[in-house]
Amino acid sequence: MVKKRVPDWLNNSLWYSRPPPDDERILRYASRYSDPEPTAEPPTPAAPSGDPPRPEIVDSARDRDGDGNGVLESPSAEEISRQSQLLAELSSKVVNMRELRRLASQGIPDGSRIRPVVWKLLLGYLPPDRAIWPSELAKKRSQYKNFKSEFLMNPSEITRRLEKSANGDNDEIKRQNSGLLRRSGITHGDHPLNLVASSIWHQFFQDAVIIEQIDRDVHRTHPDINFFSGDSQYAKSNQEALRSILIVFAKLNPGIRYVQGMNEVLAPLFYVFRNDPDLDNAAAAEADTYFCFSELLSEFRDNFCQQLDNSVVGIRSTLARLSELLKQHDEELWRHLEVTTKVNPQFYAFRWITLMLTQDFDFGDIIHIWDTLLSDPEGPQETLLRVCCAMLILVRRRLLAGDFTSNLKLLQHYPSTNINHLMYVASKLCSKHSG
Amino acid sequence: MVLVLALGDLHIPHRAADLPAKFKSMLVPGKIQHIICTGNLCIKEVRDYLRTLCPDLHVTQGEYDEDTRYPETKTLTIGQFKLGICHGHQVMPWGDLDSLAMLQRQLDVDILVTGHTHQFTAYKHEGGVVINPGSATGAHSSVTYDVNPSFVLMDIDGLRVVVYVYELIDGEVKVDKIDFKKSTAPPSH
C-alpha cells in the first residue's frame, strides 16, 4: 500500500493555494461577526434555515490533485477497500476493536458516512457487542436527560417542585379573593439571599459566573461555519446543545468545571454526531456527544488542571515529552529550536495539545486528524504528540532558517498543509520509535 | 426568574444611621436585577449605595427626601407583571386598603408597592397585590417607635411571583414567603 508522498520541494509556502490564515484567525476572535474567509475552496452554501444544511466542510485531504478548486475527487481504490473493510467490521456481531482501530487510524472515508458510529465505538460509548447497542443507547440518553433536568433548572423552579411534593397540589392561592395575604414558611429554609453554602440559591449564583463564561465561548465557536453560528434556528439549537453539554459537564466535574477551550474540543464531536445520516442518532446527538466528550476529556483532564501543571502528568511534562520526541527524530531541528532560537514548546504546543489541534487546522482537516487520534489504543495523547512532532518536521526548512520571532510566528499560525502527508509523516515517526 | 428588591423608609441619616448589619451582609451585588424604593432614603449616599447593588434603581418621592426630583409615582413592567411604586404619604388614610386599591386601579398595575407606614403588609385585592415592605432600617414612623426592620424580595417567574419577606426580629433575620399567581384573564374594568 503506497501512500502519496509529497516531495520536499512541494513543502514550500509558494505552493499553498490559500492565503495564510493569520489575519482570519485574529479577525475571528476580534469580532463575533467576521466575513467569510477568502479561501480558494468556497464552502458549499448552507441550505435555508429549518433543514440541517448539508455538511459544508470541504477539506484539503480529499482534494487530491492539490489544485484547490474544491471539487471532491472520487475516492481512490485504497479508500474504497478501507471503506468496505470498515463496513464489514461494523456489521459483524461483535466488533473487533483492534481491527477497527487499525483501519480507522488510516482515516475514515467521508463518503461512507459511518464516522459517527466508528467514533462512538472508539471512544467506548458503544460496546463492541452490537446486540446491546439499543439498550445501552436508551439508558445513556435517559441518563443525560435526567442530568439536564437536574442541572439546568433555576432555583425558582426547584423551589416550586419541592413545595409541590411537600404540600401536594393544593392551590391555596386561589382561595383568597381579598384581604391580607397569608404568610407561609419558606421551603427548606432557603431564600434568594441565602449565603449558606448548601443553599440552592447560593450555588446558583456561584454557577452563574461559569455559565456566563460558557455562554460567551459558545457564541464564539467557529463563527465562520453556519452549523455553529449565525441567526438560523439550526445554529441556535446547536449552540443551545453545546451550552447544555458544557454546563452539565461543569456541574458533574467540580474538579475542573469549565475551562476556556473545552468548547473547541466539543465542537467537532458534536458536528460529527449531529450530521449522522441515521436520523434517530442525529436527534439524540446531544446526549451521545456529552458522554463521548466526557470520555475524551478524561484522557486530557490533567492538562486542564492548574495544580497539576508541574507534576508528572501535567501539561509541562507532556510538553517535555514532545521535546524528547523531536530530539529523537530530528536532533538538528530540536537543537535549533530549543537551544539556538529558544522557542520553547510552551509557546506554541500548549494550544496544539490542550485543544487537540482544533485551533490550528480547518474544520474538515480536524475531523480527519481526529480519526487517527481517536483510534489510538493507548489514548489520543500519544498520537497527538507524534502529529505535533510531524508538524514541526514538515516545516523544518523554514524553522531552521528563522529566528525566534519568525519561528514563533510560523508555529503559532501553522500554515495549511496536506493532511495526508502530515499523517503519513506522523505514522512514520511511530514505526521509527518502536523500531 | 427575575429578582426584585423592594424597600424604603430608611430615613438615613435623620432617624437611623444605616441598614442593620445582617441585612447588609445579605445584600450583595450581582444577585438582584431591579430595586424598587418607595422613598425617604433620604440622602444621595443611600441612593449611591443602592445603585452599587443593582444599576436598575427606581425611587419615588418621599416627604423627607433631600432630593426633590423623584417622581410621585412610577410604573414599570417586569416580565408579565406591571408594578407600581408610590411612597404612600399621599394616599389618605395612610395604609388604608381601599384607598390604596384606588391608586392601584389608577396606575393600572398588578403589584403596587407603597411605604410610609413602616409596617410590612401584603394585601390581595381583585387580582392585584399591594405590598408594603416596611422600613429597612427600623426607623420610627410618624405614629410609633415599634418598628421591625424589614424589606421584601420578589422572585418574578412567568405568571407567578414569590414574595420573600425579610424581617429582623430580636436581632435575627426571619424569612417568610408569600405566593401570588396572576390570573391569565385580564380583569374587566
Side-chain angles (χ1 to χ4, degrees):
Chain A
M1 179 186 69
V2 178
K3 277 262 194 152
K4 296 253 161 60
R5 199 176 303 204
V6 176
D8 269 341
W9 57 263
L10 194 56
N11 183 22
N12 185 317
S13 61
L14 276 177
W15 303 111
Y16 295 145
S17 54
R18 49 181 109 185
D22 322 31
D23 309 316
E24 295 153 358
R25 202 155 311 145
I26 296 172
L27 271 180
R28 193 189 297 174
Y29 279 83
S31 67
R32 265 181 61 188
Y33 308 100
S34 54
D35 296 322
E37 291 174 65
T39 54
E41 299 175 300
T44 50
S49 60
D51 312 312
R54 286 177 293 134
E56 62 185 80
I57 313 298
V58 175
D59 54 295
S60 62
R62 299 290 309 265
D63 188 23
R64 213 146 302 120
D65 52 17
D67 57 8
N69 62 359
V71 174
L72 302 175
E73 287 83 21
S74 51
S76 67
E78 172 226 320
E79 273 202 357
I80 296 179
S81 91
R82 209 180 328 138
Q83 181 169 326
S84 52
Q85 279 179 314
L86 277 168
L87 284 168
E89 262 316 311
L90 290 176
S91 50
S92 58
K93 272 178 62 183
V94 178
V95 179
N96 182 339
M97 290 308 295
R98 265 192 55 200
E99 189 52 28
L100 188 72
R101 286 186 192 278
R102 188 188 70 77
L103 286 167
S105 68
Q106 294 154 20
I108 302 171
D110 286 320
S112 62
R113 309 180 331 152
I114 48 171
R115 181 173 281 121
V117 179
V118 176
W119 279 21
K120 287 178 191 170
L121 279 165
L122 292 175
L123 283 166
Y125 180 57
L126 286 174
D129 182 3
R130 282 186 62 215
I132 54 176
W133 281 5
S135 60
E136 268 298 304
L137 284 175
K139 195 172 70 169
K140 288 274 169 69
R141 285 166 186 177
S142 82
Q143 204 178 23
Y144 179 71
K145 212 166 126 210
N146 289 339
F147 285 153
K148 264 182 86 165
S149 62
E150 201 186 312
F151 294 129
L152 263 53
M153 244 194 316
N154 65 30
S156 304
E157 283 175 49
I158 300 179
T159 321
R160 216 176 331 190
R161 300 228 178 140
L162 287 173
E163 244 180 73
K164 235 188 197 171
S165 60
N167 300 336
D169 208 356
N170 56 345
D171 216 345
E172 16 178 290
I173 306 156
K174 285 213 187 97
R175 275 192 241 137
Q176 302 175 281
N177 276 328
S178 248
L180 273 173
L181 276 174
R182 198 148 39 116
R183 288 156 76 149
S184 50
I186 45 177
T187 340
H188 295 249
D190 208 355
H191 56 89
L193 297 178
N194 205 340
L195 295 169
V196 173
S198 60
S199 147
I200 50 169
W201 286 94
H202 185 71
Q203 284 166 7
F204 171 75
F205 287 118
Q206 296 219 298
D207 293 336
V209 179
I210 297 180
I211 294 180
E212 221 182 319
Q213 178 71 59
I214 292 179
D215 270 328
R216 273 200 294 262
D217 285 347
V218 163
H219 282 119
R220 286 198 287 228
T221 315
H222 293 294
D224 47 328
I225 300 179
N226 277 336
F227 180 86
F228 290 109
S229 91
D231 291 323
S232 67
Q233 191 57 30
Y234 189 53
K236 289 216 189 309
S237 70
N238 290 336
Q239 284 187 351
E240 261 307 303
L242 287 179
R243 182 179 177 271
S244 306
I245 295 173
L246 289 169
I247 293 178
V248 172
F249 183 82
K251 294 261 181 122
L252 282 176
N253 293 277
I256 43 173
R257 297 291 208 136
Y258 174 74
V259 179
Q260 269 192 296
M262 283 184 183
N263 60 317
E264 298 289 345
V265 176
L266 180 60
L269 274 178
F270 185 67
Y271 180 87
V272 166
F273 291 159
R274 190 76 177 82
N275 285 317
D276 193 334
D278 177 326
L279 288 174
D280 284 332
N281 281 344
E286 195 183 322
D288 297 342
T289 317
Y290 168 72
F291 287 106
C292 292
F293 174 67
S294 238
E295 193 51 51
L296 188 59
L297 227 57
S298 66
E299 166 81 21
F300 287 97
R301 145 196 309 254
D302 294 335
N303 285 340
F304 285 102
C305 180
Q306 220 174 348
Q307 277 86 357
L308 291 176
D309 268 353
N310 292 326
S311 75
V312 173
V313 291
I315 186 68
R316 287 251 172 93
S317 81
T318 315
L319 292 169
R321 279 179 36 220
L322 176 62
S323 264
E324 265 308 300
L325 201 61
L326 181 64
K327 185 173 175 194
Q328 240 172 1
H329 292 279
D330 194 338
E331 174 136 8
E332 186 194 352
L333 180 60
W334 175 83
R335 192 175 304 281
H336 180 81
L337 271 183
E338 303 232 353
V339 182
T340 321
T341 52
K342 299 224 184 335
V343 178
N344 204 299
Q346 242 168 278
F347 302 142
Y348 56 88
F350 184 83
R351 192 176 69 183
W352 292 358
I353 295 177
T354 49
L355 297 185
M356 291 174 65
L357 300 171
T358 48
Q359 294 286 70
D360 297 278
F361 290 98
D362 288 324
F363 202 68
D365 295 343
I366 293 171
I367 296 186
H368 281 264
I369 298 180
W370 277 35
D371 281 341
T372 319
L373 289 184
L374 295 178
S375 61
D376 190 337
E378 298 163 27
Q381 185 130 294
E382 293 304 319
T383 316
L384 185 59
L385 288 178
R386 284 199 291 272
V387 175
C388 292
C389 200
M391 281 164 76
L392 292 170
I393 293 179
L394 278 190
V395 289
R396 70 190 304 274
R397 193 150 311 211
R398 290 168 71 178
L399 286 175
L400 285 171
D403 66 343
F404 177 80
T405 326
S406 63
N407 282 352
L408 202 58
K409 187 152 183 262
L410 176 67
L411 291 173
Q412 285 183 339
H413 305 279
Y414 194 77
S416 60
T417 174
N418 184 322
I419 293 301
N420 288 333
H421 182 54
L422 176 68
M423 303 313 286
Y424 173 65
V425 175
S427 62
K428 279 218 11 207
L429 289 176
C430 169
S431 49
K432 245 200 212 169
H433 182 218
S434 55
Chain B
M1 195 198 75
V2 181
L3 290 178
V4 182
L5 175 68
L7 74 171
D9 290 317
L10 293 99
H11 287 281
I12 297 172
H14 309 125
R15 303 186 194 174
D18 201 359
L19 284 166
K22 292 206 168 154
F23 280 0
K24 267 197 130 161
S25 65
M26 282 199 296
L27 291 171
V28 292
K31 297 187 180 182
I32 300 166
Q33 273 90 49
H34 305 274
I35 300 187
I36 290 178
C37 189
T38 52
N40 276 343
L41 291 173
C42 304
I43 48 179
K44 174 174 138 329
E45 280 76 5
V46 180
R47 196 191 69 210
D48 293 338
Y49 163 72
L50 289 177
R51 199 159 268 148
T52 65
L53 292 181
C54 160
D56 192 32
L57 173 64
H58 304 272
V59 187
T60 48
Q61 188 71 44
E63 76 270 49
Y64 289 99
D65 271 312
E66 308 245 321
D67 189 343
T68 52
R69 290 165 306 167
Y70 298 128
E72 293 286 322
T73 62
K74 204 166 189 186
T75 54
L76 55 148
T77 309
I78 294 176
Q80 304 275 4
F81 285 88
K82 287 193 286 219
L83 289 94
I85 324 167
C86 177
H87 179 245
H89 69 272
Q90 307 95 329
V91 179
M92 300 290 202
W94 293 337
D96 177 48
L97 168 61
D98 291 324
S99 316
L100 289 172
M102 277 201 288
L103 179 61
Q104 185 188 356
R105 275 196 293 275
Q106 204 175 5
L107 295 173
D108 187 26
V109 290
D110 302 306
I111 301 175
L112 177 66
V113 182
T114 56
H116 189 58
T117 60
H118 296 215
Q119 295 286 19
F120 167 78
T121 44
Y123 291 119
K124 185 170 193 268
H125 182 84
E126 279 183 16
V129 174
V130 179
I131 296 180
N132 187 329
S135 162
T137 51
H140 64 86
S141 74
S142 311
V143 295
T144 173
Y145 269 103
D146 183 19
V147 176
N148 280 326
S150 66
F151 68 89
V152 154
L153 185 68
M154 292 186 277
D155 174 11
I156 298 181
D157 191 20
L159 287 170
R160 256 184 69 142
V161 66
V162 181
V163 178
Y164 291 93
V165 184
Y166 293 79
E167 267 182 313
L168 193 69
I169 300 175
D170 295 330
E172 284 305 317
V173 178
K174 295 228 164 30
V175 191
D176 286 325
K177 75 176 167 80
I178 300 173
D179 263 307
F180 171 64
K181 197 168 182 175
K182 176 176 169 176
S183 57
T184 44
S188 53
H189 283 307

